[in-house]
Amino acid sequence: MIFLMIVIMGLAVFLNRYLFIEPRLPVRLNRGAREFLGFAVPGMLTAICGPIIFLADHHLNLSPANPYLLAGISAVALMFWTRNVLVTVLLSMALFYLFRWLL
């Protein structure tokens, strides 16, 4: 039963993506829908990263000794400075481990 559910969910995700990737299919989104979908990725990343960065043990942690908060701020600053995703990810991960080791 679990294997069947995994296969069905995999097919649902694949078909959902395939409709917009395959150029021969006549599915086209209007400009408003494309702009609306442009907010999906930042919103999803915020929903995933926000609790990790700000909540420790289910309590709000905004202290300067929070390595997650310091690494998050560093990642934002590095992205504005370098404009390179790979460099930002690598440097911010290194800074996170440095902050965890020092704090």
Side-chain angles (χ1 to χ4, degrees):
M1 182 66 180
I2 293 174
F3 182 73
L4 180 65
M5 185 63 74
I6 291 172
V7 170
I8 290 171
M9 294 307 293
L11 284 172
V13 170
F14 173 76
L15 292 174
N16 187 15
R17 304 293 189 262
Y18 183 75
L19 287 176
F20 297 110
I21 293 174
E22 177 58 43
R24 291 176 290 187
L25 292 176
V27 176
R28 300 286 179 251
L29 296 175
N30 63 14
R31 185 171 179 252
R34 284 194 311 262
E35 287 180 10
F36 178 72
L37 289 174
F39 293 105
V41 174
M44 185 175 51
L45 287 175
T46 303
I48 293 170
C49 296
I52 295 170
I53 293 173
F54 297 112
L55 298 176
D57 300 325
H58 302 292
H59 293 87
L60 185 63
N61 185 4
L62 297 176
S63 74
N66 182 357
Y68 294 97
L69 181 61
L70 293 175
I73 293 169
S74 301
V76 171
L78 283 168
M79 193 63 208
F80 279 118
W81 183 52
T82 65
R83 302 279 184 198
N84 187 330
V85 175
L86 181 61
V87 172
T88 300
V89 168
L90 293 175
L91 287 177
S92 62
M93 281 177 28
L95 285 171
F96 171 70
Y97 286 114
L98 179 69
F99 293 145
R100 281 196 54 169
W101 183 65
L102 291 176
L103 303 175

